[in-house]
Amino acid sequence: MPLWTLQDAWGQRGEQPDTPLQGMSGPRPVVLSGPSGAGKSTLLKRLLQEHSSIFGFSVSHTTRDPRPGEENGKDYYFVTREVMQRDIAAGDFIEHAEFSGNLYGTSKAAVRAVQAMNRICVLDVDLQGVRNIKKTDLRPVYIFEQRLRQRNTETEESLAKRLAAARADMESKPPLTLPPPSGEEPGLFDLIIVNDSLDKAYWALKEALSEEIKKAQATGHS
Ligand code: ADP
Ligand code: 5GP
């Protein structure tokens, strides 16, 4: 039995104490983070298409303008800063962050709407989002994605070094894109995926989530 109810999915304000976002058993949500252009939305679209009954995307709010092809309520909820600030103040968001001059945030209703459909919730957030989600009871699997070849400046040797460094990062300290390790946030991610080949990256993502997929299937999530 999930600890939340369908009613929670509508994000009622202040009418009842917050229910936990994540039950103790069952599949864990998935947080994907990484630099802009790393391929997060491409990989997630593929995952959500292939396993549409298992995964559901947590639709974030943002104050940025929609890009061509983006749909309100599907890619993001596109809102004004006033509306978003009001709803943040009302306690409707699990986390929010200022990124590149705009506000982004995950509402409680967005996550609960996915959970109410009995699906594994997948979130695409920046590093501030990752740190803030760590303070909640959501308990997701954290995946960092990067595309080293994007720069086209790397030799094979330097690329190999970067990959080794990225693996070491995963075990002991935050990944390459973070400021020098502070010691306060060791092992920010459970896994780093290097997206230099989309197919390989997708395979790595599915492999990483295979346990959660199995759990979802076993507990009737699909
Ligand atoms: P993000 O969501 O991380 O900002 P996108 O998924 O929007 O990134 O990807 C940015 C662009 O890079 C898109 O045009 C996408 O098709 C392309 N892309 C993603 N992964 C690869 C890859 N491995 N090789 C080549 N192009 C890719
Ligand atoms: P974009 O504008 O390219 O869609 O996203 C910019 C950045 O915002 C990306 O790093 C993306 O992961 C992040 N982002 C998207 N939604 C959220 C959210 O709800 N919370 C946080 N913290 N970051 C988000």
Side-chain angles (χ1 to χ4, degrees):
M1 265 291 279
L3 295 173
W4 52 87
T5 65
L6 188 59
Q7 228 180 10
D8 297 329
W10 314 132
Q12 297 172 6
R13 277 184 210 143
E15 288 168 18
Q16 56 187 50
D18 273 351
T19 48
L21 288 160
Q22 169 68 1
M24 290 310 285
S25 60
R28 290 160 71 193
V30 178
V31 164
L32 187 61
S33 190
S36 189
K40 299 181 293 299
S41 34
T42 308
L43 284 179
L44 288 186
K45 269 189 191 129
R46 207 158 148 182
L47 183 74
L48 289 154
Q49 258 166 22
E50 189 184 337
H51 293 294
S52 57
S53 59
I54 292 187
F55 295 100
F57 185 57
S58 159
V59 181
S60 293
H61 284 60
T62 182
T63 61
R64 81 155 162 76
D65 292 331
R67 296 189 186 119
E70 284 185 331
E71 282 178 46
N72 188 39
K74 190 166 171 244
D75 299 284
Y76 282 106
Y77 294 106
F78 296 99
V79 291
T80 61
R81 189 170 278 269
E82 290 74 43
V83 165
M84 193 149 165
Q85 277 170 337
R86 183 200 63 198
D87 292 349
I88 290 168
D92 292 350
F93 280 79
I94 295 167
E95 62 80 30
H96 65 277
E98 185 89 28
F99 182 94
S100 193
N102 284 295
L103 267 177
Y104 291 79
T106 307
S107 70
K108 293 173 184 171
V111 170
R112 287 184 172 138
V114 175
Q115 292 174 332
M117 289 191 294
N118 229 8
R119 294 190 184 151
I120 299 178
C121 187
V122 182
L123 300 90
D124 173 348
V125 300
D126 78 334
L127 287 172
Q128 301 167 79
V130 169
R131 293 192 188 100
N132 287 329
I133 289 170
K134 293 228 162 183
K135 297 174 198 156
T136 73
D137 60 2
L138 195 65
R139 298 190 302 109
V141 177
Y142 294 95
I143 301 177
F144 183 80
E145 200 210 324
Q146 58 186 351
R147 241 175 105 194
L148 297 184
R149 284 178 206 276
Q150 198 174 18
R151 293 190 196 91
N152 286 330
T153 53
E154 253 58 65
T155 63
E156 285 302 317
E157 193 193 344
S158 87
L159 205 54
K161 276 188 193 152
R162 279 169 178 271
L163 289 177
R167 280 185 201 112
D169 267 336
M170 199 181 82
E171 281 153 23
S172 59
K173 58 186 193 295
L176 300 172
T177 50
L178 291 174
S182 62
E184 287 160 17
E185 43 181 33
L188 201 54
F189 294 93
D190 299 308
L191 177 78
I192 294 174
I193 293 179
V194 176
N195 173 19
D196 284 331
S197 144
L198 200 54
D199 284 342
K200 282 187 194 158
Y202 184 59
W203 183 86
L205 180 65
K206 279 213 301 186
E207 186 65 16
L209 299 179
S210 62
E211 279 306 309
E212 304 311 310
I213 292 173
K214 271 188 223 151
K215 270 192 235 166
Q217 286 164 340
T219 53
H221 275 65
S222 59

